[in-house]
Amino acid sequence: MHALSIPTWIIHISSVIEWIAAIWLIWKYGEVTGHRAWGALSFAMLPALVSAMCACTWHYFDNAPSLEWLVTLQATMTLIGNFTLCAAAFWIWRSYRTNTTPYSSTSNLSSLEKK
């Protein structure tokens, strides 16, 4: 646990907590709006969370050589997370372009045209 300074530990741990909170809030937003794409975004965030937990675990055990596989797992989960987040963002963008939801430009235009 001596591998990182106290301020660095605070940043690492608070980032993991913040990411967990963001996942939960995005999931709730998807439930409230009824937009399934937001739920997909919360699932797409999970690989990045696993990556962060790998880093914290490896540092907690003083970067032990026996746990070096965590570095590989962290890199892999970061790569997978980048792709899943990209796909989820595309899904959200596409769903707002094709659906008439209260937040899409299509429904706003149609409501303005009716007046």
Side-chain angles (χ1 to χ4, degrees):
M1 193 154 149
H2 304 306
L4 301 178
S5 66
I6 297 296
T8 304
W9 272 114
I10 291 170
I11 290 170
H12 273 62
I13 293 169
S14 64
S15 295
V16 169
I17 293 169
E18 176 185 353
W19 200 252
I20 292 169
I23 290 170
W24 181 77
L25 288 170
I26 291 169
W27 179 263
K28 285 299 187 185
Y29 180 77
E31 285 182 343
V32 169
T33 61
H35 227 100
R36 287 183 7 189
W38 288 98
L41 176 62
S42 66
F43 276 110
M45 294 172 74
L46 292 176
L49 178 63
V50 171
S51 175
M53 290 178 169
C54 287
C56 289
T57 302
W58 193 56
H59 290 315
Y60 180 79
F61 291 105
D62 293 327
N63 305 339
S66 63
L67 295 176
E68 201 162 303
W69 58 271
L70 283 172
V71 177
T72 305
L73 180 60
Q74 178 193 8
T76 303
M77 295 312 297
T78 299
L79 179 66
I80 292 169
N82 288 342
F83 281 110
T84 58
L85 287 168
C86 181
F90 177 75
W91 189 9
I92 291 169
W93 173 77
R94 191 184 65 196
S95 70
Y96 278 99
R97 282 185 50 105
T98 57
N99 291 342
T100 55
T101 63
Y103 303 107
S104 69
S105 60
T106 309
S107 67
N108 290 340
L109 289 176
S110 62
S111 66
L112 290 174
E113 290 171 356
K114 291 179 183 177
K115 290 183 180 181

